[in-house]
Amino acid sequence: MAEAAALWQAGGLDREALVGQLTTLGEGEAVHALIGDLIGEAPGHEVTDAAGTGEWRAELLASRAKAWAHPASAGLLVGPHVLILTDGRRGVVLTAEGTRVLKASVSASMLLLCQTIVMADHAVDAQELGTLRQQRIESTSTSLSEIEPLP
């Protein structure tokens, strides 16, 4: 998978193809291993204030997220310009220009953000599902009440 990230950064792979490959990682353990591989290939410095706070806020607010819980926690944030992989202790920011290492405290925050986004999405889905069920029940009972019994 690290090869796919390098291929994307070299222009040989479409960004969404890389995202597709990342989202199919079956478990957090695979993400942990990938982060280790990517850190080994990343520059020896951590992400600092390379972009302004406003730029990071906009990037994070426009992100999609995936979280893995078993057997180990990990997360993926897919922003308009960056991909962030984190396991809560370590993390990397992938851009078309290269790979940067996240500070441990930022990595933990990014994992929490991934988990929060996914939980909120599931809660909305559950609420919508409940609403649809209730609508179906109401429409069925209304439809059934309109059927006249035979004498």
Side-chain angles (χ1 to χ4, degrees):
M1 191 64 63
E3 299 83 19
L7 190 59
W8 167 63
Q9 291 168 332
L13 182 66
D14 178 72
R15 182 175 187 267
E16 285 304 311
L18 174 61
V19 171
Q21 289 183 31
L22 292 172
T23 58
T24 61
L25 290 172
E27 56 186 38
E29 290 292 332
V31 179
H32 285 264
L34 176 58
I35 290 170
D37 291 345
L38 292 170
I39 286 175
E41 298 172 11
H45 53 281
E46 295 182 331
V47 172
T48 56
D49 296 328
T53 304
E55 291 175 51
W56 275 110
R57 181 179 296 126
E59 188 76 28
L60 293 174
L61 289 174
S63 292
R64 298 174 286 157
K66 178 167 177 76
W68 292 267
H70 300 288
S73 295
L76 168 67
L77 282 169
V78 178
H81 303 100
V82 302
L83 306 175
I84 300 172
L85 279 167
T86 179
D87 64 12
R89 294 182 317 271
R90 305 170 306 157
V92 292
V93 176
L94 301 171
T95 64
E97 293 77 35
T99 302
R100 307 278 306 268
V101 179
L102 287 174
K103 293 181 180 180
S105 60
V106 174
S107 184
S109 295
M110 292 296 106
L111 179 57
L112 182 59
L113 180 60
C114 289
Q115 292 168 334
T116 302
I117 290 169
V118 170
M119 283 190 307
D121 188 55
H122 288 324
V124 168
D125 287 347
Q127 183 178 8
E128 288 178 6
L129 183 60
T131 301
L132 290 173
R133 280 186 188 136
Q134 186 60 36
Q135 288 174 348
R136 190 180 74 222
I137 290 168
E138 289 172 3
S139 69
T140 301
S141 66
T142 301
S143 299
L144 291 176
S145 67
E146 293 172 2
I147 299 173
E148 299 212 14
L150 289 171

